């Protein structure tokens, strides 16, 4: 019984992978070394997003995020389920098995650039936007958005920032009688190594806009 179940799970994942290629998702999304970069890298998508949200997103991307580049594919229920199974299985193993793209000799000498590469490739960008500029929706949170990270250097010491990334955090619902927010900050300590989180901290600190002479008083 257990064996049959495992096999059917593997078949579902294989079907989802075939859908992913068949629908041309690879044009915009990278998994491991393959695919385009118009949309977020999906190598860790199953670690950072729940199956419930993935299903909601694939049903109608522009309904969740206005003006998104990702089209509505009007997927049939079965195709969508297979895709969700496949995406949920992607927990970042590909980066751990092969060379993680942020461990090149050049990047190891440049913590800010290395942090930026990690930010892009593990998918911080999928929730916080490019350069942490924000603008990504969440449900049932004050302001209806995932926070921007532009100014975290003002609110957090490096140690606090490291701790936040390590532990993650579940947003407090704006209204406790409504459905909990779908999007939460994952506990990155379960996936990232300490030196990788250090590089992310250096990158986030580099995002703070310079204070102009006029604004400084
Ligand atoms: C034309 C480019 C494009 C295509 C094709 C495309 N996507 Fe996307 N996708 C995006 C963009 C861009 C985003 C990020 C949302 C945004 O910023 O608008 C995204 C976001 C996502 C996310 C959420 C990523 C995250 O980090 O939260 C998933 C999952 C996803 N796409 C899956 C798919 C699947 C499955 C297909 C094929 C059926 C597909 N995409 C096809 C552009 C595309
Ligand atoms: C799946 C979506 C998601 C991903 C991916 C994600 N975050 Fe977050 N992040 C959140 C949410 C939601 C919050 C707000 C949590 C709360 O309200 O408690 C948050 C909060 C934060 C904060 C605190 C900001 C503040 O002003 O309180 C930092 C720093 C942060 N994230 C950094 C990162 C980094 C670095 C990565 C990549 C390693 C990352 N996040 C990936 C969703 C995400």
């Amino acid at each position: 019984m257990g064996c049959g179940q495992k096999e059917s799970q593997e078949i579902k994942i294989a079907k989802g992978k075939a859908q992913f290629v068949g629908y041309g998702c690879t044009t915009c999304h990278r998994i491991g070394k393959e695919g385009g970069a118009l949309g977020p890298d999906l190598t860790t998508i199953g670690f950072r997003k729940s199956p419930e949200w993935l299903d909601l997103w694939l049903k109608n991307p522009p309904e969740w995020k206005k003006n998104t580049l990702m089209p509505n594919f009007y997927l049939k229920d079965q195709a969508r389920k297979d895709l969700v199974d496949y995406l949920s299985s992607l927990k970042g193993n590909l980066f751990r098995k092969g060379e993680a793209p942020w461990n090149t000799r050049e990047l190891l000498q440049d913590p800010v650039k290395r942090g930026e590469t990690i930010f892009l490739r593990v998918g911080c960008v999928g929730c916080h936007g490019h350069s942490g500029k924000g603008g990504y929706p969440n449900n049932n949170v004050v302001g209806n958005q995932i926070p921007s990270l532009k100014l975290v250097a003002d609110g957090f010491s490096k140690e606090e920032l490291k701790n936040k990334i390590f532990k993650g955090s579940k947003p407090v619902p704006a209204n406790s009688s409504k459905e909990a927010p779908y999007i939460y900050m994952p506990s990155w300590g379960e996936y990232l190594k300490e030196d990788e989180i250090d590089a992310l901290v250096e990158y986030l600190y580099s995002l703070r806009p310079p204070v102009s002479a006029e604004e400084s008083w």
Side-chain angles (χ1 to χ4, degrees), residues 25 28-29 38 40 48-49 54 57 65 68 70 73 126 136:
C25 314
C28 295
H29 294 288
L38 274 173
R48 63 188 197 249
K49 294 274 169 85
L54 288 170
W57 172 253
K65 184 176 187 278
T68 179
M70 175 152 158
F73 288 85
Y136 281 69

Side-chain angles (χ1 to χ4, degrees), residues 16 19-29 37-42 44-45 48-49 53-54 57-58 61 64-73 75 83-84 86-87 122-127 129-130 133 136 183:
Q19 306 278 17
F20 193 81
V21 175
Y23 279 102
C25 314
T26 45
T27 320
C28 295
H29 294 288
L38 274 173
D41 189 310
L42 299 179
T44 75
I45 190 70
R48 63 188 197 249
K49 294 274 169 85
W53 182 83
L54 288 170
W57 172 253
L58 292 180
W64 178 263
K65 184 176 187 278
K66 263 185 245 149
N67 305 323
T68 179
L69 217 84
M70 175 152 158
N72 187 346
F73 288 85
L75 298 162
L83 279 166
V84 170
Y86 171 53
L87 294 171
V122 305
C124 314
V125 69
C127 287
H130 279 276
K133 70 173 184 293
Y136 281 69
I183 311 286

